[in-house]
Amino acid sequence: MKLHEYQSRKLLNDYGIPTSKGVVFSSASEAGRAFQALGKPSAVAKVQVLMGGRGKAGGVAHIHSAEEAKAFAEKFLGKPFSTTQSAGEAKTVRSILITEDKKILEEYYLGVTIDRSRGRPVVLFSKQGGMDIEEVASKHPEAIVKVHFMPEARLSASDILPKVRQGFAGDKLPLQIAEIAANLCRLFVEKDSSLCEINPLALTMGDEILALDAKVVIDDNALFRQTELAAMKDPEEEDERERKAKQFGLSYVSMNGNVGCLVNGAGLAMATMDMIKLAGGEPANFLDVGGGATADMVREGFKIILQDSRVMTILVNIFGGIMKCDVIAQGVIEASREIQLQVPLVVRLEGTNVEQGRALLQSSGLRIISCKTIDEAARRAVEEANAYRSSHVGSR
């Protein structure tokens, strides 16, 4: 679960991490008062949407008057907003944060996340913070300092200081950074986070280190014990398809390709996406209908997949165990007829009652491409998607 920046800032403050002062509002009429509270003489306005790259997309601006603050609010509030990091997906701006405009002397990056290769959390620090940190990580990985730790072992500032002091003259600034990093680690562990990020962590006038931006992501699986944080969840920022999938007991994650996937079992779903990639295609989603899917669940799965206008074909890959192949085949047929499926449909069935399932597909009278292996199914799905795209340019 992602938190908005203004929510993340409050968490940082709760853990003793200093931030620039800020005011959040949701109507243009409040913009002027917000600026007057913080504009000395200027302030920074930021759209509050759960995506990176807001600055490069124009969603962060320096403002110099109450009138400019109101104009910024009128430009963005209630309007769709997207960035290069949102994969073309737009979100409606419902709130804006105005903060103090601090004079920045240096920008750093500080984050805590999970290093899956090491199986433990890691502190990441770089003296080259700011909007281009992704490029720094890609081209100059040596510029990022890493400090691994175990969640049950409290990491102190003295543990972090030797790593972050490199390149500084003296210990005054690195000690401040190390103390902030130690507090960020405590937040990360105690709030069951998967990411805590400050970018930039800035050196401002008076040798003051402040968090000028913040991003916190909480592990969804831990929300049952993070009730206060769960209450902060913004349902408007959730993917509508993912929200709908949860209502029907489906696990859905939107992606950027054009081959829709409906599979039973997370492992098989991952393997199916790998096979689509190997066949030269791109999966449009991860959709696991689980081991006990019904015809209704399959029908709803189809509807959810087709809400994505990029989908050019659907690949159904089912291994029948608890879920019988003939039941799934009937669900596929009913769903195809009900929603008058227009895109190509490729189905691969294997397992319990597989022959009955294949027979149902064949006798349905529908154009369903039945395959016996996942390799064949993935290849056909990619071919059909390419053919559909060529013949229906601009139609979806």
Side-chain angles (χ1 to χ4, degrees):
M1 182 188 85
K2 296 179 180 178
L3 297 181
H4 284 291
E5 180 187 349
Y6 71 91
Q7 297 169 322
S8 299
R9 283 167 163 263
K10 183 182 183 305
L11 270 183
L12 295 190
N13 293 157
D14 290 345
Y15 277 79
I17 299 172
T19 65
S20 55
K21 294 177 182 177
V23 176
V24 66
F25 59 87
S26 55
S27 69
S29 62
E30 302 172 84
R33 289 192 299 273
F35 174 82
Q36 289 168 357
L38 298 168
K40 300 176 182 178
S42 60
V44 179
K46 303 180 180 183
V47 297
Q48 296 298 284
V49 288
L50 297 176
M51 59 182 68
R54 292 173 299 165
K56 289 183 177 180
V60 177
H62 291 270
I63 52 177
H64 302 86
S65 67
E67 291 72 24
E68 285 188 20
K70 184 178 179 181
F72 184 91
E74 290 174 341
K75 178 180 179 181
F76 289 106
L77 282 174
K79 311 287 177 53
F81 180 83
S82 63
T83 74
T84 56
Q85 296 185 33
S86 66
E89 296 281 348
K91 297 289 185 183
T92 301
V93 178
R94 303 188 185 279
S95 59
I96 290 173
L97 174 69
I98 286 186
T99 70
E100 297 174 295
D101 188 6
K102 291 288 187 177
K103 182 173 177 56
I104 300 173
L105 303 179
E106 292 184 357
E107 289 186 337
Y108 315 128
Y109 172 89
L110 179 64
V112 184
T113 188
I114 301 293
D115 184 343
R116 302 200 180 278
S117 66
R118 297 280 293 272
R120 62 183 64 184
V122 59
V123 178
L124 303 173
F125 173 75
S126 176
K127 288 194 70 178
Q128 301 178 42
M131 289 194 296
D132 296 318
I133 186 62
E134 290 85 3
E135 186 175 345
V136 172
S138 174
K139 296 184 177 180
H140 304 285
E142 72 283 354
I144 297 179
V145 172
K146 298 181 179 181
V147 184
H148 291 85
F149 65 99
M150 296 301 292
E152 63 273 16
R154 185 181 294 272
L155 202 61
S156 68
S158 59
D159 296 322
I160 301 170
L161 181 59
K163 291 282 190 177
V164 302
R165 63 163 37 122
Q166 300 169 27
F168 287 96
D171 278 352
K172 182 181 178 181
L173 294 180
L175 183 56
Q176 288 186 59
I177 295 168
E179 288 173 346
I180 290 173
N183 287 335
L184 196 64
C185 290
R186 190 161 57 88
L187 187 164
F188 180 87
V189 173
E190 293 180 3
K191 298 302 182 183
D192 292 302
S193 303
S194 57
L195 175 67
C196 291
E197 183 178 77
I198 301 172
N199 185 34
L201 180 68
L203 171 63
T204 62
M205 297 294 288
D207 284 349
E208 185 180 22
I209 301 288
L210 292 176
L212 301 188
D213 198 352
K215 179 178 181 180
V216 175
V217 182
I218 309 299
D219 187 342
D220 287 338
N221 295 312
L223 288 178
F224 72 95
R225 63 187 180 200
Q226 299 290 350
T227 53
E228 289 187 10
L229 294 179
M232 296 182 183
K233 190 167 189 174
D234 185 352
E236 298 294 339
E237 288 281 352
E238 282 190 286
D239 186 293
E240 181 183 348
R241 289 159 292 183
E242 293 181 16
R243 185 166 63 245
K244 189 76 177 286
K246 289 177 184 176
Q247 295 176 1
F248 290 92
L250 307 173
S251 297
Y252 175 93
V253 178
S254 177
M255 302 177 74
N256 301 324
N258 62 5
V259 179
C261 304
L262 189 150
V263 190
N264 67 319
L268 186 59
M270 296 293 286
T272 302
M273 292 191 293
D274 286 344
M275 294 303 294
I276 291 170
K277 294 278 285 186
L278 285 172
E282 292 290 339
N285 64 274
F286 169 101
L287 177 56
D288 174 16
V289 297
T294 63
D296 287 340
M297 292 171 72
V298 172
R299 184 185 303 110
E300 293 303 324
F302 271 37
K303 291 179 181 178
I304 290 167
I305 290 172
L306 290 172
Q307 286 181 24
D308 185 346
S309 61
R310 293 169 295 193
V311 170
M312 302 294 175
T313 190
I314 296 178
L315 169 57
V316 176
N317 185 23
I318 298 294
F319 185 84
I322 298 173
M323 183 193 306
K324 295 179 175 59
C325 290
D326 55 338
V327 174
I328 291 300
Q330 190 60 45
V332 167
I333 293 167
E334 291 176 8
S336 300
R337 287 175 174 157
E338 179 182 332
I339 65 181
Q340 298 182 332
L341 186 66
Q342 299 299 311
V343 301
L345 175 60
V346 179
V347 179
R348 181 256 182 170
L349 300 175
E350 191 56 76
T352 307
N353 293 353
V354 64
E355 295 304 331
Q356 295 95 313
R358 290 172 181 166
L360 283 170
L361 295 178
Q362 187 173 4
S363 62
S364 68
L366 300 171
R367 185 176 180 269
I368 299 175
I369 303 166
S370 181
C371 300
K372 291 188 176 182
T373 69
I374 181 55
D375 180 67
E376 178 191 5
R379 179 174 50 78
R380 286 299 303 273
V382 173
E383 290 173 355
E384 292 293 329
N386 291 338
Y388 186 89
R389 180 172 54 196
S390 299
S391 59
H392 293 76
V393 174
S395 65
R396 294 202 73 214

